Amino acid sequence: MSIAEPVDLDALAPSLPWWRRLVRDPAAFLALIVLTIIVLCAIFAPLISPHDPYASSRAVMQPPVWSDRGAWLHPFGTDGQGRDILSRIFYGTRLTLLIGLVSVGLGGVLGSLLGLLAAFRPRLDPWVMRLVDVMLSFPAILLGLALVAVFGPGAIPVMIALAIATVPDCARIARSIAVSVMKQEYIEAGRAVGLSDLALFTRYLLRNCISSILIFISLRFGQIILIGAALSFLGLGAKPPQAELGMMAAQGRDFLLFAPHIAVIPSVMIFVIVLAANVLGDALRDVLDPRLRS
Amino acid sequence: MMTLVLNRLIISVPVLFGVLLLGFGLLILVPGDPAIVMAGPMATPEVVAAIRTEMGLDEPVLTQFFRYLGRMAEGDLGRSLISNKTVISELGAAIGPTTELMVACLIWSIPLGIALGTLAAVWRGSITDRAIMAFSVAGVSLPIFFICLMLIHFVGVQWRLLPFIGRGGPLWTIDGLRHIALPALSLGLIFIGPVARMTRSSVLEVLRLDHVRTARAKGLSETRVILRHGLRNALIPVVTLVGLQAGYLLGGAVVTESIFSYPGIGRLAVGAILSSDFPLAQGAILILALAFILINLIVDVLYALLDPRVQTS
């Protein structure tokens, strides 16, 4: 038996731009296409939805087109209130993605700034890290429960909770990357030529850390989407009549026996989004920054 | 060893303080009069007034906080607005079932995850490896409520193999086992993926080390090399994974308990929030936060026990 590493020639070919190396990986390429289509559908939901996602009709629990009694009028069938599932999927994906993006974006920016500051100003470092340690002891789901307990169910408390939950991990990663960047000679050189702290921070430190931080955030995106959807499933997140994928799955729960598609279609949609995000995040990391592996 | 445990306990103090602050903050942040929130919308003005004096709401915030700490130390978390039982007794009844669910989940998913991860590492690059890794990526991408719903639909409703509502009794009874099977299966399925991934990369790392080469050179059989010299050392990071993923597991438990109507802390928390039973929600969140800290403490100590290098460093 040999445990010799299979040599990955693509990884050794830095002459290729990173996106060329990325699309050479068939799984990553597929994930990229799927994610692009999903994002486009979410953005243009009002234009491409065949029906009003909130309008109920008398055609309740219509099966999807691939089952015997399905019809093209409602390709994914209708839910328990006769609403068109395809249109609700477009709108629901929109809200689900929005919750994920806003949380990861807000938390990512805040966390990175904290981490970068800790590396840039070593005096702040112990304080920032203690804060991060305390924040780390509140898992995302607990923060979600706590904020919803205070402000009542809704998409906004969930977004705030998930954003706060993203801060500590992101701060840690940003700090560890920034500490190694701060040791580089060009930082010293920047200081020597008399750059202001602000310029040193934005033009030298931030620019050299940003890609690794973005990769880390992309790896967290899938998890955040799952937690957000789970909270909505429990009735703690998005409120009806809004369409949100987790909530749509919850609404299909009572019809599981007669019309399983009402719960299955939104759940599969979440799975596809998160799977594509995870595969793409992994591939991006391997191509751009193998240091983050482990 | 003792110093390590002590150190770890000292680090837990600010965290514990943070948790208590969170519990206090919940009450301060809640829109409206905290006394009315604690007493519930149905309470008479007299009850509200009594609670106001008890909590010292007319006094400065700092005094309120110390009073709150005092009540916490006595285990006084108030009464549930719905059942009128003390929050402590409600939580006490739910801790056992949640612990059982965690045990029932970890007891099968960790060994299976380790086995799958080891196989993937040993047959690196093979179809088996790819299949196991694809399975684990799919596992971490599946919404847990979907797994629960599918298990209920097929195993519970269509094939009528197992019950899917509530708890049958303690874990050691047949009925208890039958009732916990589906929730533990759902929760375990989302946990296998991370365990398998971690085991795989950790085994791969260990198999590269000198002592493994020496073991091979001694002429030990490959199975023996992998089990005795590879896996044994590779298991250490897997222990930390349980700590790292405790939050993930906790979230899964909240969803699983709610779907299977399993009477644990997670379901208690969600139910309390949905019915605006603030005292119970506050207590459940505090207990979950404490559990999270405790799990991480135990994991850290276990880690030091397994890996002598941690103690010296």
Side-chain angles (χ1 to χ4, degrees):
Chain A
M1 154 144 317
S2 152
I3 52 155
E5 298 280 312
V7 179
D8 185 356
L9 288 175
D10 287 348
L12 295 176
S15 53
L16 282 175
W18 64 270
W19 54 270
R20 289 271 306 271
R21 279 184 282 152
L22 184 72
V23 297
R24 275 188 173 202
D25 177 354
F29 186 57
L30 187 67
L32 184 66
I33 290 181
V34 169
L35 219 49
T36 312
I37 294 174
I38 290 174
V39 170
L40 286 177
C41 286
I43 294 174
F44 296 109
L47 295 178
I48 55 174
S49 293
H51 298 270
D52 179 348
Y54 307 117
S56 27
S57 71
R58 247 184 283 170
V60 288
M61 291 195 268
Q62 293 265 307
V65 71
W66 54 85
S67 78
D68 296 339
R69 295 179 299 114
W72 277 106
L73 179 63
H74 299 290
F76 282 2
T78 58
D79 68 5
Q81 296 180 37
R83 295 175 295 196
D84 180 56
I85 292 183
L86 179 63
S87 312
R88 288 181 68 74
I89 286 281
F90 288 147
Y91 277 84
T93 305
R94 211 178 194 199
L95 188 54
T96 300
L97 284 179
L98 190 73
I99 292 177
L101 279 176
V102 169
S103 328
V104 156
L106 261 180
V109 168
L110 220 68
S112 321
L113 278 181
L114 270 180
L116 292 178
L117 265 180
F120 193 67
R121 286 259 177 277
R123 254 190 311 146
L124 293 177
D125 188 62
W127 296 101
V128 171
M129 285 300 112
R130 282 300 81 73
L131 178 71
V132 164
D133 280 345
V134 173
M135 286 179 85
L136 268 179
S137 32
F138 296 104
I141 189 86
L142 266 187
L143 283 168
L145 291 178
L147 283 182
V148 174
V150 169
F151 299 108
I156 305 226
V158 168
M159 280 193 243
I160 297 175
L162 295 181
I164 299 176
T166 313
V167 168
D169 285 329
C170 202
R172 270 194 169 179
I173 288 284
R175 175 182 172 272
S176 74
I177 299 163
V179 163
S180 66
V181 169
M182 285 304 286
K183 287 185 191 135
Q184 301 294 319
E185 278 168 358
Y186 52 74
I187 297 281
E188 194 84 13
R191 280 231 168 87
V193 296
L195 277 184
S196 68
D197 274 357
L198 185 69
L200 205 61
F201 186 82
T202 51
R203 301 222 309 255
Y204 284 58
L205 183 62
L206 184 64
R207 274 201 197 173
N208 281 296
C209 298
I210 195 93
S211 76
S212 307
I213 294 173
L214 282 177
I215 295 164
F216 176 74
I217 290 177
S218 79
L219 285 167
R220 285 308 291 275
F221 183 64
Q223 268 182 314
I224 293 291
I225 294 249
L226 279 183
I227 303 171
L231 285 169
S232 292
F233 179 91
L234 294 172
L236 304 173
K239 277 183 289 195
Q242 277 178 315
E244 197 278 344
L245 296 175
M247 190 179 67
M248 288 169 67
Q251 288 166 347
R253 199 175 145 186
D254 300 333
F255 310 108
L256 211 54
L257 200 56
F258 316 103
H261 69 280
I262 303 176
V264 170
I265 293 174
S267 305
V268 170
M269 190 66 192
I270 299 171
F271 173 60
V272 172
I273 294 174
V274 176
L275 184 64
N278 283 342
V279 169
L280 198 62
D282 276 352
L284 267 177
R285 175 198 56 195
D286 290 351
V287 168
L288 281 175
D289 198 348
R291 274 179 306 169
L292 287 175
R293 217 174 233 275
S294 84
Chain B
M1 189 63 218
M2 275 318 284
T3 41
L4 178 104
V5 176
L6 265 179
N7 267 333
R8 205 46 199 74
L9 278 173
I10 291 168
I11 296 173
S12 304
V13 171
V15 174
L16 194 66
F17 190 74
V19 170
L20 289 171
L21 202 62
L22 174 92
F24 183 68
L26 284 183
L27 199 59
I28 298 293
L29 282 172
V30 146
D33 183 349
I36 295 178
V37 172
M38 281 305 268
M42 300 305 201
T44 57
E46 290 80 43
V47 175
V48 175
I51 287 187
R52 181 167 293 130
T53 5
E54 191 194 321
M55 292 171 64
L57 288 175
D58 303 322
E59 291 170 52
V61 177
L62 208 61
T63 322
Q64 286 184 42
F65 183 60
F66 283 117
R67 270 188 192 224
Y68 159 85
L69 287 185
R71 274 182 293 132
M72 288 292 132
E74 288 171 7
D76 174 14
L77 291 160
R79 276 174 186 279
S80 159
L81 302 180
I82 308 286
S83 68
N84 202 32
K85 289 184 198 149
T86 57
V87 168
I88 264 303
S89 69
E90 293 258 15
L91 293 176
I95 286 179
T98 296
T99 316
E100 280 183 2
L101 178 61
M102 289 289 169
V103 170
C105 152
L106 295 177
I107 212 161
W108 75 274
S109 60
I110 289 187
L112 188 61
I114 289 174
L116 288 176
T118 314
L119 283 182
V122 171
W123 291 325
R124 189 187 174 155
S126 68
I127 296 282
T128 319
D129 176 24
R130 278 159 190 253
I132 291 173
M133 283 303 104
F135 170 79
S136 76
V137 176
V140 292
S141 308
L142 262 179
I144 177 144
F145 54 79
F146 186 51
I147 301 176
C148 297
L149 290 182
M150 287 300 101
L151 284 175
I152 290 179
H153 183 59
F154 289 106
V155 185
V157 178
Q158 292 211 324
W159 304 331
R160 292 167 190 256
L161 289 176
L162 288 165
F164 52 89
I165 294 173
R167 174 169 176 264
L171 204 52
W172 52 88
T173 59
I174 297 287
D175 207 33
L177 275 179
R178 279 168 51 82
H179 275 84
I180 213 166
L182 286 185
L185 188 64
S186 319
L187 198 53
L189 276 175
I190 63 163
F191 201 56
I192 289 182
V195 176
R197 275 185 107 160
M198 180 63 113
T199 311
R200 178 180 181 269
S201 66
S202 154
V203 168
L204 280 177
E205 210 143 282
V206 171
L207 286 185
R208 269 185 223 128
L209 297 179
D210 287 342
H211 76 271
V212 173
R213 197 170 352 131
T214 314
R216 282 218 176 85
K218 279 201 304 198
L220 289 186
S221 73
E222 190 61 28
T223 327
R224 221 183 147 83
V225 169
I226 287 161
L227 289 182
R228 294 261 330 246
H229 296 263
L231 190 57
R232 231 172 135 177
N233 288 299
L235 281 185
I236 297 166
V238 178
V239 174
T240 40
L241 183 83
V242 179
L244 287 173
Q245 297 285 342
Y248 178 68
L249 211 57
L250 217 59
V254 169
V255 177
T256 313
E257 287 179 3
S258 300
I259 295 182
F260 289 99
S261 307
Y262 185 83
I265 307 257
R267 192 184 73 134
L268 202 66
V270 173
I273 293 170
L274 287 176
S275 55
S276 308
D277 185 348
F278 188 80
L280 188 57
Q282 186 194 29
I285 291 170
L286 281 178
I287 276 290
L288 285 174
L290 280 180
F292 183 73
I293 295 176
L294 196 67
I295 293 173
N296 273 295
L297 187 69
I298 294 172
V299 163
D300 277 2
V301 173
L302 261 183
Y303 188 56
L305 280 177
L306 285 175
D307 190 350
R309 282 170 299 183
V310 177
Q311 291 177 46
T312 46
S313 68

